[in-house]
């Protein structure tokens, strides 16, 4: 979906792109080729993970066969990317940082652009269900001003990424009300994934692994089920 999204988003067309490349050397060339092709019209910067970078301990797979160790390593890599970016001043000179995973799509950037033009706003966030224990901010996607970011938000440990990030911006952002919750982007269950449980055209931010490769090109005023009659997205029981 990325080529289609880039073509339709004025926000992303004006953005520089920074990628923290985590794969080993044997996979880097293929990854670089994909990045150069996808972001051919953007100012692309690629940062390579240093040898010996820290990771979290591995864990046993769950009963459903999902490898929690693999998920933990992905989380560690995501936190390492932001930790190095903040500590190395990668964001120096920028007014805003849009942090997102490659499987997170900005489907509609209108609210983001409107809010980023408001000088009283310092962060655009997606909330997650914290089971009645207070605010929990989604970390796979957020938009924030660099001056309120701290390396403490991304500890290189097994600590929950959402909770550590939430604590780090509690005083500088949440307590003073300089944030805005992105309408329609919060999940409709305890799964901490932007737009989870919502229709594709309901959420402006979509985090989904099983998109049809052409779904992003369907106009907003066209019923997606008329183009893709199969159930979408697939229920968890049918996913692999």
């Amino acid at each position: 979906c990325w080529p289609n999204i880039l073509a339709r988003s004025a926000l992303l067309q004006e953005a520089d792109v920074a990628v923290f490349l985590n794969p080993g050397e044997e996979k880097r060339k293929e990854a670089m080729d994909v990045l150069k092709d996808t972001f051919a019209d953007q100012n692309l910067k690629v940062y390579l993970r240093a040898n010996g970078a820290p990771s979290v301990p591995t864990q046993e797979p769950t009963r459903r066969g999902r490898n929690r160790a693999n998920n933990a390593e992905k989380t560690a890599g995501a936190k390492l990317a932001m930790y190095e970016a903040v500590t190395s001043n990668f964001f120096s000179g920028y007014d805003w940082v849009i942090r997102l995973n490659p499987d997170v799509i900005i489907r509609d950037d209108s609210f983001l652009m409107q809010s980023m033009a408001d000088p009283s706003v310092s962060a655009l966030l997606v909330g997650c269900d914290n089971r009645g224990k207070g605010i929990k901010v989604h970390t796979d996607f957020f938009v924030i001003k660099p001056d309120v970011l701290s390396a403490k938000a991304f500890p290189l440990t097994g600590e929950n990424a959402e909770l550590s990030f939430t604590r780090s911006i509690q005083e500088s952002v949440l307590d003073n009300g300089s944030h805005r919750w992105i309408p329609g982007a919060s999940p409709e269950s305890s799964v901490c994934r932007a737009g989870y449980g919502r229709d594709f055209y309901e959420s402006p931010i979509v985090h989904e692994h099983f998109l049809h490769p052409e779904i992003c090109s369907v106009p907003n005023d066209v019923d997606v089920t008329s183009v893709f009659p199969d159930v979408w997205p697939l229920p968890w029981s049918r996913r692999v």
Side-chain angles (χ1 to χ4, degrees), residues 4-25:
N4 289 328
I5 295 300
L6 289 169
R8 297 194 301 169
S9 171
L11 175 62
L12 295 179
Q13 288 172 11
E14 296 177 357
D16 291 345
V17 177
V19 177
F20 185 79
L21 199 58
N22 210 11
E25 293 185 9

Side-chain angles (χ1 to χ4, degrees), residues 57-76:
T58 59
Q59 303 178 40
E60 294 298 322
T62 65
R63 289 184 302 169
R64 295 186 178 183
R66 294 186 181 179
N67 192 326
R68 295 181 62 188
N70 185 44
N71 289 340
E73 289 180 356
K74 290 180 180 178
T75 299

Side-chain angles (χ1 to χ4, degrees), residues 50-223:
N51 292 330
S55 61
V56 298
T58 59
Q59 303 178 40
E60 294 298 322
T62 65
R63 289 184 302 169
R64 295 186 178 183
R66 294 186 181 179
N67 192 326
R68 295 181 62 188
N70 185 44
N71 289 340
E73 289 180 356
K74 290 180 180 178
T75 299
K79 290 194 291 185
L80 178 62
M82 289 300 297
Y83 177 86
E84 291 199 0
V86 174
T87 56
S88 301
N89 296 315
F90 290 172
F91 304 139
S92 177
Y94 288 97
D95 297 323
W96 289 93
V97 172
I98 303 171
R99 193 275 174 208
L100 74 169
N101 283 0
D103 54 4
V104 177
I105 294 170
I106 300 177
R107 190 195 60 77
D108 184 347
D109 61 13
S110 55
F111 177 81
L112 304 182
M113 295 187 68
Q114 177 184 359
S115 299
M116 292 167 73
D118 184 343
S120 68
V121 176
S122 65
L124 305 175
L125 309 172
V126 177
C128 287
D129 182 3
N130 197 21
R131 304 180 188 276
K133 298 179 181 179
I135 294 175
K136 182 179 180 182
V137 180
H138 185 63
T139 56
D140 285 350
F141 178 87
F142 57 81
V143 183
I144 198 165
K145 289 184 175 179
D147 58 358
V148 298
L149 274 176
S150 166
K152 295 180 180 179
F154 314 100
L156 304 182
T157 66
E159 184 179 4
N160 180 273
E162 281 75 23
L163 294 179
S164 61
F165 179 63
T166 303
R167 283 198 303 273
S168 76
I169 63 170
Q170 186 69 54
E171 183 175 350
S172 61
V173 176
L174 300 175
D175 287 349
N176 64 29
S178 63
H179 63 293
R180 300 291 183 271
W181 298 111
I182 302 173
S186 60
E188 291 197 325
S189 74
S190 60
V191 176
C192 194
R193 180 178 291 181
Y196 183 83
R198 298 178 182 271
D199 180 81
F200 180 80
Y201 291 109
E202 179 185 358
S203 178
I205 311 298
V206 179
H207 182 170
E208 178 56 56
H209 300 170
F210 295 88
L211 289 172
H212 188 286
E214 297 178 1
I215 196 171
C216 297
S217 62
V218 179
N220 287 352
D221 58 352
V222 175
D223 181 5

